[in-house]
Amino acid sequence: MNNFHDGTPKHPIRGEESRLQKLMMDMLVEADVKVNGGRPWDIELLGAKVPERVFSLGSVGLGEAYMDGDWQAERLDEFFTRVLRARLDRQVQPLRLAFHALRTRLLNRQNLKRAWKVGEVHYDLGNEFYEAMLDPRMTYTCGYWDGASNLAQAQEAKLEMICRKLQLKPGMRLLDIGCGWGSLMAYAAERHGVHCVGVTISKEQTAWAQNRYAHLPLEFRLQDYRTINERFDRIASVGMFEHVGRKNHRTFMQVAHRCLADDGLFLLHTIGKNQRDSATDPWIDKYIFPNGDLPSIGQIGDAADDLFVVEDLHNFGSDYDKTLMAWHANFEASWPQFKDQLGERFYRMWTYYLLSCAGAFRARDIQLWQWVLSKQGITGGYKRPDSPGREAAASLRLANAPKGR
């Protein structure tokens, strides 16, 4: 196994185990992970003071040590699956991380000024980079794999499912809060005949989408969601609520409520956590999504209280595991064209991000929800539409079935 992507290995540390290394080994046994073992999910120590960094800095120390090349696991996704299933992350809570948790609870880290930081740090990384990693429609959210056999099919199935859940009809106006590169807007316009307005805080996304979809009835705005004040037949927000922050959940719902027609539908697609009071992972916050804050079901419910009727709640978080693994495969395949520009440390950082998140979804440590909300309740009730992916797969099997004589 190569310990660095360029094939230059480091050598595992030898000699007498330190007290912290022994403690780390004993903890990892609970997750069926061995230090310097031979299985794909075992951790190989390649530099000094990895245990010290983990016990003093928690997830930040673990992630930074990986970025520095001080430890390796052949299957990083499986390593994290086992660690998170055993809840070892809850056993390592350094005192210095308590300040991070306190900031998350007390401060509004997603106010009008700070909200733009994630666009600059993450989404403005470069359109060419994301084009190489994502599907042809540039959809940077969880695909829907029921009946799908590849990433492009899973993303189209997800987009079609959203359109069906929203019951889109030709001529409607759709607002997409956090529109990304415009994949939902373009799909909805092309397949369902709607007019769309999308807002994003990424300059790169806005410019790319305006250029690609100039022929469609789409309007892309570089705008914070809090400043929107006009009516739409339907609203969607796909993969943006994770950046809203608990201090702004209610404001977000109030904006959606004032912008939605009285007989409209609002679809909220978001990653979520299982525990209300937990803080954002500090490594993810520092290196990937600054000021992010995953909501819990209770927090979303509190924010929607007396504003919306919850018509449907759909959890397909296990599909994010498959989506992240597909993104990682694309990232690996395209890395040679970005290696000189981004460097080895970025490679290890991005690998750690994609595979640790895949492991988290596989362990069911985090979830993916789609909520369908209405302002006054659907008369007679709301019925979730059938899976478009399974429907398409069944049609394909029927078309390819042997014909009778």
Side-chain angles (χ1 to χ4, degrees):
M1 177 180 69
N2 288 337
N3 298 315
F4 267 83
H5 190 261
D6 61 7
T8 304
K10 287 188 175 184
H11 299 287
I13 59 176
R14 303 296 182 188
E16 186 177 357
E17 297 169 354
S18 68
R19 180 180 64 84
L20 287 179
Q21 183 167 328
K22 178 65 165 58
L23 178 59
M24 180 178 175
M25 292 173 68
D26 290 343
M27 290 179 62
L28 288 173
V29 165
E30 300 178 32
D32 190 29
V33 174
K34 295 180 179 179
V35 174
N36 298 329
R39 299 169 300 178
W41 57 85
D42 287 333
I43 181 173
E44 184 179 8
L45 298 184
L46 306 169
K49 301 202 177 291
V50 172
E52 287 83 350
R53 295 176 77 174
V54 170
F55 285 109
S56 64
L57 294 173
S59 72
V60 173
L62 184 68
E64 289 181 340
Y66 184 87
M67 290 163 62
D68 292 340
D70 286 339
W71 69 273
Q72 182 72 19
E74 184 180 342
R75 287 291 304 275
L76 201 60
D77 53 314
E78 280 296 300
F79 166 79
F80 275 104
T81 300
R82 284 164 170 76
V83 165
L84 292 172
R85 277 182 180 159
R87 299 190 172 185
L88 297 189
D89 57 314
R90 302 187 183 187
Q91 297 184 35
V92 182
Q93 298 291 336
L95 184 60
R96 67 182 66 188
L97 294 186
F99 177 69
H100 169 76
L102 192 62
R103 273 194 318 168
T104 299
R105 293 188 181 98
L106 298 182
L107 301 180
N108 185 356
R109 302 173 68 228
Q110 300 81 13
N111 59 27
L112 278 166
K113 182 178 179 180
R114 290 175 176 166
W116 294 81
K117 184 176 180 181
V118 69
E120 297 165 358
V121 171
H122 191 86
Y123 296 106
D124 288 346
L125 184 60
N127 292 328
E128 289 185 1
F129 175 80
Y130 286 108
E131 283 178 318
M133 188 180 81
L134 305 178
D135 66 297
R137 289 184 175 271
M138 293 278 278
T139 316
Y140 195 22
T141 49
C142 181
Y144 189 60
W145 290 83
D146 188 10
S149 59
N150 58 55
L151 180 61
Q153 290 177 1
Q155 294 294 12
E156 289 225 348
K158 185 265 301 293
L159 296 175
E160 177 62 25
M161 179 168 64
I162 290 173
C163 293
R164 292 186 184 186
K165 285 182 176 181
L166 286 172
Q167 301 175 0
L168 295 182
K169 295 180 176 59
M172 283 184 170
R173 292 185 77 221
L174 169 68
L175 170 64
D176 188 349
I177 303 176
C179 62
W181 287 276
S183 61
L184 173 61
M185 295 168 62
Y187 187 93
E190 291 168 346
R191 305 290 179 88
H192 295 270
V194 301
H195 298 255
C196 307
V197 172
V199 297
T200 176
I201 56 172
S202 167
K203 296 177 182 178
E204 290 283 336
Q205 289 179 336
T206 302
W208 187 93
Q210 287 173 339
N211 180 65
R212 176 161 175 173
Y213 299 121
H215 62 292
L216 293 174
L218 310 178
E219 180 184 353
F220 295 94
R221 302 176 184 171
L222 192 63
Q223 181 180 4
D224 187 279
Y225 71 92
R226 282 163 281 210
T227 64
I228 310 168
N229 191 16
E230 55 192 281
R231 281 295 181 101
F232 295 87
D233 300 297
R234 300 288 189 265
I235 299 176
S237 184
V238 184
M240 180 269 185
F241 197 69
E242 302 91 333
H243 304 302
V244 168
R246 65 192 72 186
K247 296 291 184 181
N248 306 300
H249 288 164
R250 182 66 174 179
T251 298
F252 181 93
M253 290 294 183
Q254 288 169 337
V255 170
H257 186 269
R258 80 175 178 228
C259 291
L260 184 65
D262 289 342
D263 60 350
L265 292 173
F266 168 35
L267 183 138
L268 178 65
H269 170 121
T270 182
I271 300 171
K273 61 190 178 186
N274 298 323
Q275 184 180 353
R276 175 189 289 263
D277 292 329
S278 59
T280 303
D281 177 82
W283 184 86
I284 290 286
D285 181 72
K286 183 175 181 179
Y287 288 100
I288 306 299
F289 295 115
N291 302 323
D293 187 15
L294 297 186
S296 69
I297 278 187
Q299 288 171 326
I300 297 175
D302 289 346
D305 188 41
D306 201 34
L307 293 175
F308 290 108
V309 174
V310 178
E311 300 286 357
D312 190 55
L313 176 55
H314 183 187
N315 185 343
F316 55 101
S318 61
D319 284 23
Y320 227 142
D321 176 11
K322 295 180 182 179
T323 304
L324 284 154
M325 294 305 292
W327 289 344
H328 178 255
N330 289 345
F331 169 69
E332 284 281 356
S334 62
W335 176 245
Q337 72 185 89
F338 301 105
K339 181 177 181 179
D340 292 340
Q341 172 193 352
L342 296 174
E344 183 66 25
R345 186 173 170 83
F346 178 91
Y347 168 80
R348 294 183 69 83
M349 178 185 76
W350 208 257
T351 298
Y352 189 89
Y353 153 53
L354 294 173
L355 295 182
S356 65
C357 288
F361 280 103
R362 197 176 306 162
R364 303 309 305 278
D365 185 65
I366 49 179
Q367 312 302 325
L368 189 285
W369 301 311
Q370 280 189 356
W371 301 64
V372 177
L373 309 171
S374 69
K375 291 174 78 168
Q376 300 174 351
I378 303 299
T379 302
Y382 177 88
K383 184 179 184 300
R384 183 189 301 171
D386 295 333
S387 164
R390 186 181 300 176
E391 180 182 288
S395 299
L396 184 62
R397 287 195 298 269
L398 184 62
N400 293 332
K403 303 298 186 292
R405 292 177 181 268

